[in-house]
Amino acid sequence: MGTAPDGPGADGRAGGAAPRPPRRRPKPPGPASAELAGLCAATAAEPGLRGTPAAEELRRFAALCGQPLRVAVVGDVSAGKSTLVNALLATRMALVQLAEATAQVTWYHHPLVGPTVAATDAAVAVPYPLFPLSDRIVLGDTPGMNTASDRQLVTEDMLRGARAASASATAVLYLCGTNLSEAAARTCTEFALSTAGPLTEGLNVVLVASKADGVDGGADTWNAVEENLLRQARLPGAASVAVAQQLAETARCGMLTRDHLGTLRAIAADEELTAVAGHGWDALGRAWAARGHPADALPPLKEVAATTYAIARSLPPLRAGEVADSDGLARLWEDLSGLRRLEERLSLLARHADVLTVDSVTARLLRATASWDTGPARLVRERLAALRTRPACAGLERSAADLALDGLTLRHVPPGDRALAARALRALPMKDRELLATARTWAAHARRPRRLLARRVAEIVVECCLTRLDSRNRDQGRDG
Ligand SMILES: Nc1nc2c(ncn2[C@@H]2O[C@H](COP(=O)(O)OP(=O)(O)O)[C@@H](O)[C@H]2O)c(=O)[nH]1
Ligand SMILES: [Mg+2]
Protein backbone atom coordinates (compact mmCIF):
# COMPACT_ATOMS: atom_id res chain seq x y z
CA MET A 1 0.00 0.00 0.00
CA GLY A 2 0.99 3.63 -0.19
CA THR A 3 1.78 5.92 -3.06
CA ALA A 4 5.17 5.97 -4.67
CA PRO A 5 7.56 8.23 -2.81
CA ASP A 6 8.46 11.43 -4.63
CA GLY A 7 12.21 11.63 -4.61
CA PRO A 8 13.78 15.05 -4.20
CA GLY A 9 14.39 16.58 -7.59
CA ALA A 10 12.12 14.15 -9.44
CA ASP A 11 9.80 15.72 -12.05
CA GLY A 12 11.44 19.10 -11.62
CA ARG A 13 10.21 19.13 -8.04
CA ALA A 14 11.94 21.00 -5.32
CA GLY A 15 14.15 19.21 -2.82
CA GLY A 16 11.78 20.29 -0.07
CA ALA A 17 12.50 21.33 3.46
CA ALA A 18 12.95 17.84 4.82
CA PRO A 19 15.80 17.66 7.27
CA ARG A 20 18.21 14.91 6.37
CA PRO A 21 17.14 11.66 8.03
CA PRO A 22 19.58 10.61 10.73
CA ARG A 23 22.15 7.96 9.92
CA ARG A 24 22.13 7.15 13.62
CA ARG A 25 21.20 3.69 14.79
CA PRO A 26 17.83 3.39 16.52
CA LYS A 27 17.98 4.16 20.22
CA PRO A 28 16.43 1.67 22.66
CA PRO A 29 14.41 3.34 25.44
CA GLY A 30 17.03 2.93 28.18
CA PRO A 31 18.44 0.82 31.03
CA ALA A 32 15.18 0.31 32.94
CA SER A 33 13.38 -0.92 29.82
CA ALA A 34 16.29 -3.27 29.12
CA GLU A 35 15.99 -4.64 32.65
CA LEU A 36 12.23 -5.08 32.18
CA ALA A 37 12.87 -6.86 28.86
CA GLY A 38 15.22 -9.23 30.72
CA LEU A 39 12.60 -9.83 33.39
CA CYS A 40 9.97 -10.69 30.76
CA ALA A 41 12.29 -12.98 28.81
CA ALA A 42 13.53 -14.78 31.95
CA THR A 43 10.00 -15.30 33.22
CA ALA A 44 8.86 -16.62 29.84
CA ALA A 45 11.61 -19.24 30.06
CA GLU A 46 10.54 -20.49 33.52
CA PRO A 47 9.79 -24.24 33.38
CA GLY A 48 6.18 -23.73 34.47
CA LEU A 49 5.48 -21.23 31.73
CA ARG A 50 7.23 -22.64 28.70
CA GLY A 51 4.86 -23.04 25.75
CA THR A 52 1.94 -21.24 27.40
CA PRO A 53 0.15 -18.16 25.98
CA ALA A 54 1.49 -16.19 28.96
CA ALA A 55 5.07 -16.97 27.87
CA GLU A 56 4.23 -15.83 24.34
CA GLU A 57 2.81 -12.57 25.71
CA LEU A 58 5.87 -12.03 27.90
CA ARG A 59 8.20 -12.47 24.94
CA ARG A 60 6.26 -9.87 22.98
CA PHE A 61 6.43 -7.43 25.88
CA ALA A 62 10.19 -8.05 26.03
CA ALA A 63 10.53 -7.12 22.33
CA LEU A 64 8.49 -3.97 22.92
CA CYS A 65 10.92 -2.85 25.62
CA GLY A 66 13.77 -2.77 23.12
CA GLN A 67 12.08 -0.51 20.57
CA PRO A 68 12.17 3.27 20.26
CA LEU A 69 9.06 5.05 21.59
CA ARG A 70 5.99 3.68 19.82
CA VAL A 71 3.77 6.59 18.79
CA ALA A 72 0.34 5.98 17.25
CA VAL A 73 -1.46 8.64 15.23
CA VAL A 74 -5.15 8.37 16.17
CA GLY A 75 -8.36 10.26 15.34
CA ASP A 76 -11.57 10.23 13.30
CA VAL A 77 -11.73 9.25 9.65
CA SER A 78 -10.34 12.08 7.50
CA ALA A 79 -8.86 13.89 10.49
CA GLY A 80 -5.64 14.02 8.46
CA LYS A 81 -3.79 11.14 10.15
CA SER A 82 -2.16 9.74 7.03
CA THR A 83 -1.22 13.23 5.83
CA LEU A 84 0.49 13.88 9.18
CA VAL A 85 2.24 10.51 9.03
CA ASN A 86 3.58 11.40 5.57
CA ALA A 87 4.81 14.76 6.84
CA LEU A 88 6.63 13.09 9.75
CA LEU A 89 8.05 10.43 7.44
CA ALA A 90 9.00 13.16 4.91
CA THR A 91 7.80 10.66 2.29
CA ARG A 92 4.36 10.00 0.90
CA MET A 93 4.00 6.46 2.20
CA ALA A 94 0.59 6.52 3.86
CA LEU A 95 -2.42 6.59 1.56
CA VAL A 96 -4.30 9.88 1.85
CA GLN A 97 -7.92 10.11 0.77
CA LEU A 98 -11.30 11.38 1.81
CA ALA A 99 -12.91 7.98 2.35
CA GLU A 100 -11.91 5.64 5.12
CA ALA A 101 -8.71 4.04 3.84
CA THR A 102 -6.54 2.41 6.47
CA ALA A 103 -7.81 -0.96 7.69
CA GLN A 104 -4.82 -1.96 9.80
CA VAL A 105 -2.40 -0.24 12.11
CA THR A 106 0.71 0.36 10.01
CA TRP A 107 3.94 0.79 11.98
CA TYR A 108 6.73 2.66 10.17
CA HIS A 109 10.12 2.03 11.68
CA HIS A 110 13.87 2.26 11.22
CA PRO A 111 15.06 -0.77 9.21
CA LEU A 112 17.35 -1.79 12.07
CA VAL A 113 14.42 -1.97 14.51
CA GLY A 114 12.42 -5.04 14.17
CA PRO A 115 10.37 -6.89 13.82
CA THR A 116 8.07 -4.34 15.51
CA VAL A 117 4.98 -6.48 15.21
CA ALA A 118 4.10 -9.94 14.05
CA ALA A 119 2.11 -9.14 10.89
CA THR A 120 -1.54 -9.91 11.57
CA ASP A 121 -4.86 -8.83 10.13
CA ALA A 122 -4.74 -5.95 12.64
CA ALA A 123 -1.21 -4.65 12.20
CA VAL A 124 1.64 -4.53 9.70
CA ALA A 125 5.17 -3.19 9.97
CA VAL A 126 7.00 -1.22 7.29
CA PRO A 127 10.78 -1.06 7.75
CA TYR A 128 11.16 1.99 5.49
CA PRO A 129 12.06 4.85 5.10
CA LEU A 130 14.60 6.57 7.32
CA PHE A 131 12.74 9.63 8.56
CA PRO A 132 13.87 12.58 10.72
CA LEU A 133 12.82 10.89 14.01
CA SER A 134 13.34 7.28 12.92
CA ASP A 135 16.15 6.70 15.40
CA ARG A 136 13.83 7.74 18.26
CA ILE A 137 10.27 6.72 17.41
CA VAL A 138 8.26 4.00 15.69
CA LEU A 139 5.26 5.66 14.04
CA GLY A 140 1.82 4.07 13.63
CA ASP A 141 -0.95 5.11 11.19
CA THR A 142 -4.33 3.79 12.38
CA PRO A 143 -7.90 3.24 11.14
CA GLY A 144 -10.26 6.11 12.07
CA MET A 145 -12.16 6.02 15.35
CA ASN A 146 -15.59 6.74 13.82
CA THR A 147 -15.66 4.23 10.97
CA ALA A 148 -18.84 2.70 9.66
CA SER A 149 -17.21 -0.73 9.83
CA ASP A 150 -15.42 -2.70 12.51
CA ARG A 151 -12.12 -1.08 11.63
CA GLN A 152 -12.20 1.23 14.61
CA LEU A 153 -12.05 -1.87 16.81
CA VAL A 154 -8.52 -2.34 15.51
CA THR A 155 -7.57 1.09 16.86
CA GLU A 156 -9.51 0.69 20.11
CA ASP A 157 -7.84 -2.67 20.74
CA MET A 158 -4.44 -1.20 19.96
CA LEU A 159 -4.99 1.66 22.42
CA ARG A 160 -6.18 -0.68 25.12
CA GLY A 161 -3.37 -3.09 24.34
CA ALA A 162 -6.05 -5.74 24.10
CA ARG A 163 -4.66 -7.68 21.16
CA ALA A 164 -1.07 -8.71 20.62
CA ALA A 165 0.93 -6.63 23.06
CA SER A 166 3.53 -5.95 20.41
CA ALA A 167 0.97 -4.02 18.39
CA SER A 168 0.32 -1.53 21.17
CA ALA A 169 1.35 2.12 21.48
CA THR A 170 3.39 3.83 24.19
CA ALA A 171 2.25 7.33 23.23
CA VAL A 172 -0.53 8.77 21.04
CA LEU A 173 -1.00 11.79 18.86
CA TYR A 174 -4.76 12.36 19.03
CA LEU A 175 -5.93 14.40 16.02
CA CYS A 176 -8.98 16.37 16.98
CA GLY A 177 -9.38 19.67 15.18
CA THR A 178 -10.35 22.67 17.33
CA ASN A 179 -12.61 20.77 19.71
CA LEU A 180 -12.21 17.54 21.60
CA SER A 181 -15.45 15.57 21.68
CA GLU A 182 -16.53 13.84 24.89
CA ALA A 183 -15.85 10.49 23.22
CA ALA A 184 -12.34 11.56 22.18
CA ALA A 185 -11.59 12.88 25.69
CA ARG A 186 -12.73 9.54 27.11
CA THR A 187 -10.52 7.60 24.69
CA CYS A 188 -7.50 9.73 25.63
CA THR A 189 -8.18 9.29 29.35
CA GLU A 190 -8.63 5.53 29.02
CA PHE A 191 -5.39 5.26 27.09
CA ALA A 192 -3.59 7.44 29.64
CA LEU A 193 -4.88 5.42 32.59
CA SER A 194 -4.08 2.07 31.00
CA THR A 195 -0.46 3.05 30.27
CA ALA A 196 0.45 5.29 33.20
CA GLY A 197 2.78 4.71 36.10
CA PRO A 198 2.78 6.57 39.43
CA LEU A 199 3.92 9.85 37.85
CA THR A 200 3.26 9.60 34.13
CA GLU A 201 -0.52 9.93 33.79
CA GLY A 202 -1.32 11.69 30.52
CA LEU A 203 2.29 12.59 29.71
CA ASN A 204 2.15 10.23 26.73
CA VAL A 205 -0.83 11.98 25.11
CA VAL A 206 -0.40 14.79 22.58
CA LEU A 207 -3.60 16.46 21.39
CA VAL A 208 -3.09 17.66 17.84
CA ALA A 209 -5.32 20.51 16.60
CA SER A 210 -5.17 19.19 13.06
CA LYS A 211 -5.86 21.07 9.80
CA ALA A 212 -5.05 24.24 11.74
CA ASP A 213 -4.85 26.13 8.44
CA GLY A 214 -8.64 26.24 8.69
CA VAL A 215 -8.36 28.42 11.82
CA ASP A 216 -7.30 31.88 10.86
CA GLY A 217 -7.17 35.06 12.88
CA GLY A 218 -3.68 35.99 13.90
CA ALA A 219 -0.81 34.42 15.79
CA ASP A 220 -2.73 33.95 19.05
CA THR A 221 -5.50 31.85 17.51
CA TRP A 222 -3.48 28.67 17.43
CA ASN A 223 -2.46 29.18 21.08
CA ALA A 224 -6.10 29.64 22.04
CA VAL A 225 -7.04 26.44 20.23
CA GLU A 226 -4.28 24.53 22.01
CA GLU A 227 -5.37 25.83 25.43
CA ASN A 228 -8.97 24.94 24.67
CA LEU A 229 -8.03 21.33 23.87
CA LEU A 230 -6.08 21.01 27.11
CA ARG A 231 -9.08 22.26 29.09
CA GLN A 232 -11.41 19.85 27.33
CA ALA A 233 -9.10 16.88 27.83
CA ARG A 234 -8.85 17.38 31.61
CA LEU A 235 -5.68 15.29 31.46
CA PRO A 236 -2.95 17.03 33.48
CA GLY A 237 0.06 15.54 31.71
CA ALA A 238 -1.18 16.02 28.15
CA ALA A 239 0.32 18.49 25.67
CA SER A 240 -1.35 20.08 22.66
CA VAL A 241 0.04 21.33 19.36
CA ALA A 242 -1.74 22.94 16.40
CA VAL A 243 -0.57 21.59 13.03
CA ALA A 244 -1.47 22.23 9.40
CA GLN A 245 -0.30 18.83 8.22
CA GLN A 246 -1.05 19.23 4.55
CA LEU A 247 1.31 22.22 4.38
CA ALA A 248 3.83 20.14 6.28
CA GLU A 249 3.45 17.22 3.88
CA THR A 250 3.75 19.51 0.84
CA ALA A 251 6.87 21.14 2.26
CA ARG A 252 8.54 17.97 3.53
CA CYS A 253 7.79 15.69 0.61
CA GLY A 254 9.20 17.92 -2.14
CA MET A 255 5.83 18.70 -3.71
CA LEU A 256 6.41 22.40 -4.35
CA THR A 257 7.52 23.34 -7.87
CA ARG A 258 8.74 26.43 -9.65
CA ASP A 259 5.21 26.77 -11.09
CA HIS A 260 3.69 27.05 -7.61
CA LEU A 261 6.25 29.70 -6.74
CA GLY A 262 5.57 31.56 -10.02
CA THR A 263 1.83 31.71 -9.27
CA LEU A 264 2.50 32.96 -5.74
CA ARG A 265 4.88 35.62 -7.07
CA ALA A 266 2.19 36.82 -9.48
CA ILE A 267 -0.22 37.19 -6.55
CA ALA A 268 2.39 38.95 -4.42
CA ALA A 269 3.18 41.42 -7.22
CA ASP A 270 -0.45 42.52 -7.52
CA GLU A 271 -2.07 44.66 -4.79
CA GLU A 272 -5.61 43.62 -5.64
CA LEU A 273 -4.81 39.91 -5.63
CA THR A 274 -2.87 40.33 -2.38
CA ALA A 275 -5.89 42.01 -0.78
CA VAL A 276 -8.17 39.01 -1.42
CA ALA A 277 -5.56 36.25 -1.04
CA GLY A 278 -6.63 35.24 2.46
CA HIS A 279 -10.36 35.27 1.73
CA GLY A 280 -10.76 31.82 0.24
CA TRP A 281 -10.25 30.26 -3.19
CA ASP A 282 -13.46 31.60 -4.72
CA ALA A 283 -12.58 35.24 -4.07
CA LEU A 284 -9.00 34.70 -5.17
CA GLY A 285 -10.11 32.77 -8.29
CA ARG A 286 -12.47 35.56 -9.36
CA ALA A 287 -9.83 38.26 -8.91
CA TRP A 288 -7.25 36.07 -10.63
CA ALA A 289 -9.49 35.59 -13.72
CA ALA A 290 -10.45 39.28 -13.75
CA ARG A 291 -6.75 40.21 -13.98
CA GLY A 292 -6.44 38.02 -17.07
CA HIS A 293 -4.25 35.27 -15.57
CA PRO A 294 -4.53 31.71 -16.98
CA ALA A 295 -7.29 29.73 -15.23
CA ASP A 296 -5.18 26.56 -14.95
CA ALA A 297 -2.52 28.14 -12.71
CA LEU A 298 -4.48 28.28 -9.44
CA PRO A 299 -5.77 24.66 -9.06
CA PRO A 300 -2.27 23.17 -8.62
CA LEU A 301 -1.62 25.66 -5.82
CA LYS A 302 -4.95 24.79 -4.18
CA GLU A 303 -4.09 21.11 -4.38
CA VAL A 304 -0.93 21.50 -2.30
CA ALA A 305 -2.08 24.29 0.04
CA ALA A 306 -5.61 23.11 1.03
CA THR A 307 -6.85 26.51 2.28
CA THR A 308 -5.61 30.01 1.39
CA TYR A 309 -4.04 30.38 4.86
CA ALA A 310 -0.50 29.71 3.58
CA ILE A 311 -1.06 31.77 0.43
CA ALA A 312 -1.83 34.93 2.42
CA ARG A 313 1.05 34.32 4.81
CA SER A 314 3.57 33.66 2.06
CA LEU A 315 3.04 37.03 0.38
CA PRO A 316 4.93 39.37 2.80
CA PRO A 317 8.13 37.26 2.78
CA LEU A 318 7.83 36.90 -1.02
CA ARG A 319 7.54 40.65 -1.48
CA ALA A 320 10.47 41.18 0.89
CA GLY A 321 12.58 38.97 -1.39
CA GLU A 322 13.09 36.38 1.36
CA VAL A 323 12.07 33.39 -0.78
CA ALA A 324 14.72 32.61 -3.39
CA ASP A 325 13.39 29.37 -4.87
CA SER A 326 10.96 26.52 -4.30
CA ASP A 327 13.19 25.10 -1.54
CA GLY A 328 12.88 28.44 0.24
CA LEU A 329 9.11 28.29 -0.17
CA ALA A 330 9.11 24.77 1.28
CA ARG A 331 11.01 26.00 4.34
CA LEU A 332 8.52 28.83 4.78
CA TRP A 333 5.53 26.46 4.57
CA GLU A 334 7.18 24.10 6.99
CA ASP A 335 7.45 27.02 9.44
CA LEU A 336 3.81 27.92 8.87
CA SER A 337 2.69 24.30 9.37
CA GLY A 338 3.68 23.98 13.03
CA LEU A 339 5.18 20.53 12.34
CA ARG A 340 8.49 21.32 13.98
CA ARG A 341 6.81 22.10 17.31
CA LEU A 342 5.14 18.72 17.17
CA GLU A 343 8.48 17.07 16.42
CA GLU A 344 10.04 18.88 19.37
CA ARG A 345 7.35 17.43 21.64
CA LEU A 346 7.99 13.97 20.17
CA SER A 347 11.74 14.37 20.69
CA LEU A 348 11.08 15.31 24.30
CA LEU A 349 8.88 12.23 24.82
CA ALA A 350 11.57 10.11 23.14
CA ARG A 351 14.17 11.48 25.60
CA HIS A 352 11.97 10.12 28.36
CA ALA A 353 11.15 6.89 26.51
CA ASP A 354 12.60 4.76 29.31
CA VAL A 355 10.06 5.76 31.96
CA LEU A 356 7.16 5.90 29.48
CA THR A 357 7.99 2.42 28.18
CA VAL A 358 8.50 0.86 31.61
CA ASP A 359 5.28 2.39 32.94
CA SER A 360 3.12 1.41 29.96
CA VAL A 361 4.50 -2.13 29.72
CA THR A 362 4.18 -2.61 33.48
CA ALA A 363 0.57 -1.38 33.49
CA ARG A 364 -0.35 -3.64 30.58
CA LEU A 365 1.52 -6.61 31.94
CA LEU A 366 -0.26 -6.28 35.29
CA ARG A 367 -3.59 -6.28 33.48
CA ALA A 368 -2.57 -9.25 31.36
CA THR A 369 -1.77 -11.29 34.47
CA ALA A 370 -5.45 -11.10 35.49
CA SER A 371 -6.23 -13.81 32.93
CA TRP A 372 -3.23 -16.04 33.76
CA ASP A 373 -2.93 -18.90 36.24
CA THR A 374 -2.24 -17.70 39.78
CA GLY A 375 1.33 -19.08 39.90
CA PRO A 376 2.82 -17.20 36.92
CA ALA A 377 0.68 -14.14 37.66
CA ARG A 378 2.06 -13.87 41.19
CA LEU A 379 5.61 -14.45 39.99
CA VAL A 380 5.37 -11.60 37.48
CA ARG A 381 3.77 -9.23 40.00
CA GLU A 382 6.51 -9.92 42.54
CA ARG A 383 9.25 -9.43 39.98
CA LEU A 384 7.70 -6.18 38.73
CA ALA A 385 7.52 -4.81 42.27
CA ALA A 386 11.20 -5.67 42.82
CA LEU A 387 12.22 -4.13 39.51
CA ARG A 388 11.61 -0.56 40.74
CA THR A 389 14.27 -0.91 43.41
CA ARG A 390 17.03 -1.87 40.92
CA PRO A 391 19.81 0.63 40.09
CA ALA A 392 18.73 0.65 36.42
CA CYS A 393 15.42 2.18 37.50
CA ALA A 394 16.96 4.86 39.74
CA GLY A 395 16.48 7.63 37.16
CA LEU A 396 12.83 6.91 36.31
CA GLU A 397 11.20 9.19 38.89
CA ARG A 398 13.43 12.13 37.99
CA SER A 399 12.72 11.60 34.31
CA ALA A 400 8.94 11.59 34.88
CA ALA A 401 9.18 14.66 37.13
CA ASP A 402 11.22 16.47 34.46
CA LEU A 403 8.57 15.70 31.82
CA ALA A 404 5.77 16.78 34.17
CA LEU A 405 7.43 20.18 34.74
CA ASP A 406 6.08 21.27 31.35
CA GLY A 407 2.47 20.26 31.91
CA LEU A 408 -0.72 21.68 33.36
CA THR A 409 -0.06 20.11 36.76
CA LEU A 410 2.74 22.57 37.47
CA ARG A 411 1.45 25.60 35.56
CA HIS A 412 1.01 27.45 38.88
CA VAL A 413 4.78 27.31 39.53
CA PRO A 414 6.71 30.33 38.13
CA PRO A 415 8.72 29.44 34.98
CA GLY A 416 12.00 30.41 36.68
CA ASP A 417 11.41 27.87 39.46
CA ARG A 418 10.56 25.21 36.89
CA ALA A 419 13.72 25.98 34.91
CA LEU A 420 15.86 25.53 38.04
CA ALA A 421 14.08 22.28 38.86
CA ALA A 422 14.80 21.01 35.35
CA ARG A 423 18.50 21.84 35.77
CA ALA A 424 18.59 19.98 39.06
CA LEU A 425 16.75 16.92 37.69
CA ARG A 426 18.94 16.74 34.58
CA ALA A 427 22.12 16.91 36.69
CA LEU A 428 23.25 20.08 34.88
CA PRO A 429 25.93 22.18 36.62
CA MET A 430 24.58 24.19 39.59
CA LYS A 431 26.25 26.06 42.40
CA ASP A 432 25.68 24.90 45.99
CA ARG A 433 23.61 27.95 46.82
CA GLU A 434 21.44 27.42 43.72
CA LEU A 435 20.75 23.84 44.76
CA LEU A 436 19.92 24.98 48.27
CA ALA A 437 17.64 27.79 47.07
CA THR A 438 15.89 25.40 44.65
CA ALA A 439 15.37 22.85 47.44
CA ARG A 440 13.81 25.56 49.67
CA THR A 441 11.54 26.95 46.94
CA TRP A 442 10.30 23.50 45.95
CA ALA A 443 9.81 22.43 49.56
CA ALA A 444 7.37 25.36 49.75
CA HIS A 445 5.68 24.18 46.52
CA ALA A 446 5.40 20.69 48.00
CA ARG A 447 3.55 22.05 51.06
CA ARG A 448 0.87 23.85 49.02
CA PRO A 449 -2.34 21.84 48.78
CA ARG A 450 -2.39 20.70 45.16
CA ARG A 451 -2.98 17.53 43.29
CA LEU A 452 -1.01 14.61 44.58
CA LEU A 453 1.06 14.52 41.41
CA ALA A 454 2.17 18.16 41.80
CA ARG A 455 3.24 17.50 45.39
CA ARG A 456 5.13 14.36 44.45
CA VAL A 457 7.03 16.13 41.64
CA ALA A 458 7.97 18.92 44.10
CA GLU A 459 9.22 16.32 46.59
CA ILE A 460 11.33 14.66 43.90
CA VAL A 461 12.92 18.02 43.02
CA VAL A 462 13.75 18.63 46.70
CA GLU A 463 15.17 15.11 47.14
CA CYS A 464 17.24 15.55 44.01
CA CYS A 465 18.74 18.89 45.15
CA LEU A 466 19.52 17.54 48.61
CA THR A 467 21.09 14.36 47.24
CA ARG A 468 23.33 16.39 44.94
CA LEU A 469 24.39 18.67 47.82
CA ASP A 470 24.95 15.70 50.05
CA SER A 471 27.20 13.86 47.63
CA ARG A 472 29.22 17.05 47.07
CA ASN A 473 29.72 17.52 50.81
CA ARG A 474 30.86 13.92 51.08
CA ASP A 475 33.32 14.38 48.18
CA GLN A 476 34.70 17.54 49.80
CA GLY A 477 34.97 15.74 53.13
CA ARG A 478 37.01 13.00 51.44
CA ASP A 479 39.23 15.52 49.60
CA GLY A 480 39.82 17.56 52.80
N1 LIG B 1 -7.41 21.90 5.07
C1 LIG B 1 -6.67 20.83 5.32
N2 LIG B 1 -7.04 19.62 4.82
C2 LIG B 1 -6.27 18.55 5.09
C3 LIG B 1 -5.10 18.68 5.90
N3 LIG B 1 -4.55 17.45 6.02
C4 LIG B 1 -5.33 16.60 5.33
N4 LIG B 1 -6.36 17.24 4.76
C5 LIG B 1 -7.39 16.62 3.91
O1 LIG B 1 -8.21 15.75 4.67
C6 LIG B 1 -8.54 14.58 3.94
C7 LIG B 1 -8.23 13.33 4.71
O2 LIG B 1 -6.85 13.22 4.93
P1 LIG B 1 -6.19 11.84 5.42
O3 LIG B 1 -4.79 12.16 5.80
O4 LIG B 1 -6.40 10.77 4.43
O5 LIG B 1 -7.06 11.55 6.72
P2 LIG B 1 -7.13 10.20 7.62
O6 LIG B 1 -8.39 9.50 7.23
O7 LIG B 1 -7.24 10.71 9.02
O8 LIG B 1 -5.91 9.40 7.38
C8 LIG B 1 -7.78 14.68 2.61
O9 LIG B 1 -8.68 15.15 1.63
C9 LIG B 1 -6.72 15.71 2.88
O10 LIG B 1 -6.40 16.42 1.72
C10 LIG B 1 -4.73 19.98 6.38
O11 LIG B 1 -3.70 20.20 7.05
N5 LIG B 1 -5.55 21.01 6.05
MG1 LIG C 1 -5.67 7.42 6.73
Side-chain angles (χ1 to χ4, degrees):
M1 64 173 269
T3 48
D6 296 314
D11 306 332
R13 281 155 187 242
R20 235 171 238 289
R23 294 265 156 241
R24 290 189 291 265
R25 299 177 69 80
K27 204 171 168 307
S33 303
E35 190 105 359
L36 179 52
L39 181 158
C40 291
T43 312
E46 291 280 338
L49 264 104
R50 241 178 269 153
T52 65
E56 184 56 31
E57 217 163 350
L58 279 162
R59 263 193 297 276
R60 285 198 296 250
F61 275 120
L64 207 82
C65 289
Q67 293 172 19
L69 192 75
R70 294 169 62 85
V71 181
V73 178
V74 180
D76 283 351
V77 172
S78 278
K81 299 179 295 295
S82 298
T83 307
L84 179 62
V85 166
N86 285 337
L88 289 166
L89 296 177
T91 308
R92 299 178 80 195
M93 292 287 286
L95 202 62
V96 171
Q97 55 186 52
L98 275 168
E100 160 191 355
T102 321
Q104 297 166 304
V105 180
T106 308
W107 291 100
Y108 298 95
H109 62 90
H110 194 296
L112 294 178
V113 174
T116 61
V117 290
T120 62
D121 55 350
V124 289
V126 181
Y128 178 84
L130 281 181
F131 53 100
L133 291 173
S134 59
D135 59 327
R136 278 158 290 165
I137 68 170
V138 171
L139 188 66
D141 190 12
T142 67
M145 294 295 287
N146 59 338
T147 55
S149 64
D150 283 347
R151 287 171 176 180
Q152 74 183 73
L153 294 178
V154 169
T155 304
E156 286 170 4
D157 283 356
M158 184 272 302
L159 289 177
R160 274 189 274 124
R163 292 209 201 171
S166 57
S168 64
T170 309
V172 299
L173 304 183
Y174 202 103
L175 270 57
C176 48
T178 52
N179 272 303
L180 192 68
S181 66
E182 277 294 324
R186 222 176 12 253
T187 303
C188 289
T189 302
E190 276 168 18
F191 173 77
L193 291 177
S194 69
T195 50
L199 288 168
T200 49
E201 186 184 326
L203 291 175
N204 54 352
V205 175
V206 182
L207 306 160
V208 178
S210 70
K211 304 190 185 180
D213 57 307
V215 192
D216 212 348
D220 291 339
T221 341
W222 284 22
N223 285 341
V225 167
E226 290 169 357
E227 288 296 318
N228 181 48
L229 290 182
L230 288 180
R231 265 195 308 278
Q232 290 173 328
R234 295 187 300 276
L235 204 55
S240 71
V241 184
V243 176
Q245 62 266 50
Q246 187 160 339
L247 291 183
E249 183 196 45
T250 297
R252 282 280 174 92
C253 299
M255 293 160 74
L256 282 168
T257 63
R258 279 185 292 272
D259 290 345
H260 294 125
L261 182 60
T263 307
L264 272 172
R265 284 207 164 116
I267 300 171
D270 185 318
E271 300 255 322
E272 273 185 44
L273 291 176
T274 300
V276 297
H279 298 174
W281 292 107
D282 288 348
L284 183 58
R286 276 194 302 273
W288 180 260
R291 310 292 279 172
H293 290 296
D296 60 357
L298 272 187
L301 199 55
K302 183 174 174 182
E303 200 176 302
V304 293
T307 64
T308 51
Y309 163 86
I311 309 302
R313 273 171 178 64
S314 300
L315 302 181
L318 271 167
R319 274 203 299 277
E322 290 165 12
V323 181
D325 50 19
S326 45
D327 277 2
L329 185 62
R331 278 191 295 277
L332 175 65
W333 282 23
E334 195 196 306
D335 280 347
L336 293 172
S337 75
L339 185 73
R340 241 173 286 145
R341 286 183 57 225
L342 180 63
E343 286 183 329
E344 277 163 23
R345 183 70 198 175
L346 287 173
S347 297
L348 181 70
L349 293 184
R351 260 210 302 286
H352 298 281
D354 206 18
V355 68
L356 296 176
T357 303
V358 167
D359 280 356
S360 71
V361 169
T362 302
R364 289 191 156 146
L365 199 45
L366 284 174
R367 251 174 319 122
T369 58
S371 58
W372 296 359
D373 291 342
T374 32
R378 203 180 52 231
L379 183 64
V380 165
R381 283 190 218 119
E382 282 167 8
R383 288 182 172 178
L384 283 175
L387 177 80
R388 296 274 166 170
T389 62
R390 300 270 178 75
C393 295
L396 293 186
E397 278 204 324
R398 282 185 191 182
S399 174
D402 185 357
L403 200 47
L405 282 176
D406 260 359
L408 280 183
T409 321
L410 290 149
R411 250 318 146 80
H412 61 286
V413 174
D417 290 359
R418 278 185 275 149
L420 280 170
R423 291 188 68 82
L425 292 169
R426 289 172 205 169
L428 294 171
M430 287 173 86
K431 298 201 170 70
D432 283 5
R433 59 179 165 74
E434 278 179 312
L435 283 169
L436 201 58
T438 306
R440 284 212 184 98
T441 311
W442 280 86
H445 291 313
R447 281 195 297 273
R448 300 220 171 90
R450 291 275 171 182
R451 284 174 52 103
L452 212 59
L453 181 62
R455 280 219 300 279
R456 186 65 199 121
V457 169
E459 284 164 10
I460 292 166
V461 174
V462 175
E463 277 162 27
C464 170
C465 292
L466 296 180
T467 310
R468 287 182 64 177
L469 278 168
D470 206 37
S471 70
R472 261 183 221 183
N473 288 341
R474 254 183 286 125
D475 289 349
Q476 277 163 6
R478 253 203 312 277
D479 294 345

